[in-house]
């Protein structure tokens, strides 16, 4: 039985990650439903490649959409390959547009779902809270948002990230000084020029241009067809396009600039996404009254309860440590080991920490535990009272003022 591990559902879709949605669409069309399982593990630590989507085929783990497609082609002898009937021209288009989708589609989703503070805090962050367990709910979302900001740093859309843009600095300073001016007095009618000069509105023009450069070529390739490269044959390119376009169109966010750009300029592309989402993902987001809907035709994805596939405790701890700043840098991926004799624990990443350091830390911990429990901890940094729990006074004068008073009385038989 083949298992597909993905990030969990969100925004009315089976996953909040475009590559995971692409893998779900691919397997739903290429493999009989009885031969695979869909698990919303939402934990990249399960896979040795530290990425989702990932498939577990026997004792072999494969991570990443393109590698999954390649693996299914070779293990099935081409039977599970959606591109098997493509000619040379179609394969060239698939390769070119696959690179196009990943290079431009991912930054657009990063800007919409992660860099935009409103969208992140109102929609993306709560979505992660529903699919993650503690403490990953506090560690993974900020880490993935930081990665999205890093990927889009070259675009320089700082106006979207209101957490650091400082738009509220003026209001904060006025409030701190007690000189807040009522809005009734300060509110004036905004002109077009003053509106455009605001950072968020100025960025909107650039965002629309960026979105158009992404949707335009895909719309020209589709040209009203059911699929991107042909009318009657679905390919891996359609699966990948569905993953990125569905997350651009369907999530309901406070700043829907990406979906608005798609709806206003490319209605044919919107219908393409909606039809594929129903056929491959079991999602009918915007069903029109004039279009027939056969409930029996909606695919039922082979979900399996993720609680039955919980990772070992060691892997869960390691996953949390990898999400911490600085600590995660100590862990680096090893080469993928594929062997029928290897267990799941062996197919994990090994922390790059010197053995001598680990031994020293273990020895130090054992020594400290011995001193604490025996009460013989020596003075540390000149503070013997901090650790020496069994130190006893040897004279009455060591007991402070009360000892001096008792010392005035002659206790001949006192041991002190």
């Amino acid at each position: 039985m083949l298992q597909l591990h993905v990030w969990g559902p969100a925004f009315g879709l089976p996953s909040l990650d475009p590559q995971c949605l692409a893998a779900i669409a691919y397997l739903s069309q290429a493999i009989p439903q009885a031969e695979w399982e869909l698990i919303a593990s939402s934990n990249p630590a399960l896979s040795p490649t530290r990425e989702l989507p990932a498939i577990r085929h026997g004792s072999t783990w494969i991570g990443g959409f393109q590698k999954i497609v390649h693996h299914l082609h070779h293990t099935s002898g081409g039977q599970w390959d959606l591109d098997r009937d493509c000619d040379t021209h179609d394969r060239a288009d698939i390769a070119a547009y696959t690179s196009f989708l990943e290079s431009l589609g991912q930054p657009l989703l990063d800007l919409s779902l992660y860099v935009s503070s409103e969208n992140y805090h109102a929609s993306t962050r709560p979505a992660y809270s529903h699919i993650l367990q503690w403490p990953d709910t506090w560690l993974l979302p900020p880490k993935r948002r930081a990665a999205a900001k890093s990927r889009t740093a070259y675009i320089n859309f700082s106006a979207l990230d209101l957490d650091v843009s400082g738009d509220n600095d003026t209001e904060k300073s006025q409030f701190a000084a007690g000189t807040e001016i009522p809005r009734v007095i300060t509110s004036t009618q905004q002109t077009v020029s003053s509106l455009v000069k605001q950072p968020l509105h100025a960025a909107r023009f650039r965002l629309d241009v960026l979105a158009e450069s992404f949707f335009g070529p895909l719309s020209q390739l589709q040209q009203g067809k059911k699929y991107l490269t042909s009318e009657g044959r679905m390919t891996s390119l359609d699966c990948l396009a569905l993953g990125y376009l569905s997350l651009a169109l369907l999530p309901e966010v406070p700043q829907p600039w990406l979906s608005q750009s798609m709806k206003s300029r490319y209605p044919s592309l919107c219908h393409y996404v909606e039809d594929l989402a129903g056929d491959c993902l079991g999602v009918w987001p915007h069903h029109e009254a004039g279009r027939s809907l056969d409930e029996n035709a909606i695919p039922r994805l082979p979900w399996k309860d993720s609680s039955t596939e919980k990772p070992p405790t060691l892997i869960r701890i390691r996953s949390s440590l990898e999400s911490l700043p600085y600590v995660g840098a100590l862990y680096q991926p090893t080469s993928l080991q594929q062997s029928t004799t290897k267990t799941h624990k062996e197919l994990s990443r090994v922390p790059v920490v010197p053995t001598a350091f680990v031994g020293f830390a273990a020895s130090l911990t054992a020594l400290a535990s011995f001193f604490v429990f025996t009460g013989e901890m020596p003075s540390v940094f000149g503070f013997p009272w901090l650790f020496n729990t069994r130190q006893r006074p040897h004279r009455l004068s060591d007991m402070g003022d009360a000892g001096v008073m008792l010392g005035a009385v002659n206790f001949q038989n006192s041991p002190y």
Side-chain angles (χ1 to χ4, degrees):
M1 177 68 69
L2 188 148
Q3 294 180 342
L4 174 62
H5 292 259
V6 297
W7 288 99
F11 312 122
L13 293 166
S15 178
L16 50 68
D17 181 80
Q19 297 264 331
C20 291
L21 289 174
I24 294 173
Y26 191 94
L27 266 67
S28 68
Q29 298 299 304
I31 303 178
Q33 192 176 95
E35 299 188 29
W36 68 288
E37 297 174 337
L38 179 58
I39 303 174
S41 57
S42 304
N43 192 346
L46 282 172
S47 170
T49 60
R50 291 304 187 270
E51 60 182 329
L52 294 177
I55 61 171
R56 186 179 184 181
H57 200 179
S59 60
T60 301
W61 284 86
I62 303 294
F65 174 71
Q66 294 298 331
K67 294 179 182 178
I68 289 175
V69 171
H70 183 74
H71 174 77
L72 294 178
H73 168 77
H74 285 279
T75 56
S76 65
Q79 183 180 358
W80 293 346
D81 186 2
L82 293 180
D83 303 334
R84 60 181 178 272
D85 296 327
C86 295
D87 56 23
T88 304
H89 182 269
D90 289 340
R91 290 184 181 276
D93 283 342
I94 291 173
Y97 279 95
T98 294
S99 177
F100 172 78
L101 282 167
E102 294 177 342
S103 61
L104 191 54
Q106 187 61 57
L108 277 173
L109 295 183
D110 288 339
L111 291 171
S112 175
L113 299 178
Y114 294 92
V115 178
S116 173
S117 296
E118 285 189 76
N119 293 350
Y120 174 77
H121 291 296
S123 301
T124 308
R125 183 66 178 84
Y128 276 104
S129 299
H130 285 89
I131 64 175
L132 296 176
Q133 298 179 352
W134 187 90
D136 291 339
T137 51
W138 296 97
L139 300 176
L140 286 181
K143 180 181 179 181
R144 288 179 65 83
R145 190 189 189 199
K149 289 182 179 181
S150 177
R151 287 192 296 265
T152 57
Y154 71 97
I155 307 178
N156 192 21
F157 277 106
S158 58
L160 293 175
D161 187 8
L162 301 181
D163 293 342
V164 297
S165 63
D167 291 343
N168 298 324
D169 289 346
T170 303
E171 295 182 3
K172 291 180 180 179
S173 61
Q174 290 178 351
F175 180 79
T179 59
E180 185 176 3
I181 302 176
R183 292 182 179 270
V184 178
I185 299 176
T186 59
S187 61
T188 58
Q189 185 175 3
Q190 293 183 342
T191 63
V192 174
S193 60
S194 65
L195 192 64
V196 170
K197 290 180 181 178
Q198 296 181 6
L200 190 59
H201 293 279
R204 177 60 188 267
F205 288 95
R206 297 175 59 197
L207 290 171
D208 287 339
V209 172
L210 187 63
E212 187 172 353
S213 66
F214 176 65
F215 296 135
L218 294 175
S219 180
Q220 292 178 4
L221 180 65
Q222 192 250 339
Q223 292 183 343
K225 302 190 298 293
K226 184 176 182 180
Y227 304 112
L228 290 179
T229 58
S230 68
E231 182 63 37
R233 183 180 65 251
M234 186 175 181
T235 65
S236 61
L237 178 62
D238 293 288
C239 299
L240 193 62
L242 176 62
Y244 285 98
L245 293 176
S246 60
L247 284 175
L249 176 65
L250 302 181
E252 297 180 358
V253 292
Q255 294 291 336
W257 55 268
L258 190 56
S259 61
Q260 287 177 355
S261 178
M262 188 175 177
K263 293 175 182 177
S264 61
R265 295 180 176 88
Y266 306 100
S268 176
L269 205 58
C270 294
H271 288 303
Y272 163 80
V273 172
E274 293 168 2
D275 290 340
L276 278 190
D279 295 338
C280 304
L281 305 177
V283 177
W284 293 86
H286 303 293
H287 174 59
E288 298 179 3
R291 301 173 66 186
S292 60
L293 176 62
D294 185 3
E295 293 289 345
N296 296 325
I298 298 178
R300 306 299 178 185
L301 298 175
W303 288 104
K304 182 180 180 181
D305 187 5
S306 59
S307 61
T308 61
E309 295 292 330
K310 288 184 177 180
T313 303
L314 180 60
I315 293 182
R316 294 178 61 186
I317 295 175
R318 183 178 299 165
S319 175
S320 300
L321 290 176
E322 291 171 358
S323 302
L324 293 174
Y326 305 109
V327 177
L330 297 175
Y331 294 83
Q332 297 185 5
T334 59
S335 59
L336 181 62
Q337 303 175 14
Q338 298 182 1
S339 172
T340 56
T341 59
K342 296 291 183 180
T343 63
H344 175 72
K345 292 183 179 180
E346 291 174 310
L347 289 174
S348 59
R349 185 163 54 178
V350 179
V352 183
V353 182
T355 305
F357 174 78
V358 175
F360 173 76
S363 301
L364 186 61
T365 302
L367 187 62
S369 301
F370 170 80
F371 283 132
V372 167
F373 284 102
T374 59
E376 301 296 338
M377 174 66 79
S379 63
V380 178
F381 301 113
F383 297 101
W385 53 269
L386 185 62
F387 297 102
N388 200 340
T389 59
R390 293 183 59 183
Q391 184 175 358
R392 299 175 58 188
H394 297 283
R395 295 174 300 179
L396 288 173
S397 59
D398 293 335
M399 300 175 62
D401 294 338
V404 173
M405 295 177 61
L406 292 174
V409 182
N410 187 10
F411 291 97
Q412 297 293 337
N413 298 325
S414 174
Y416 303 104

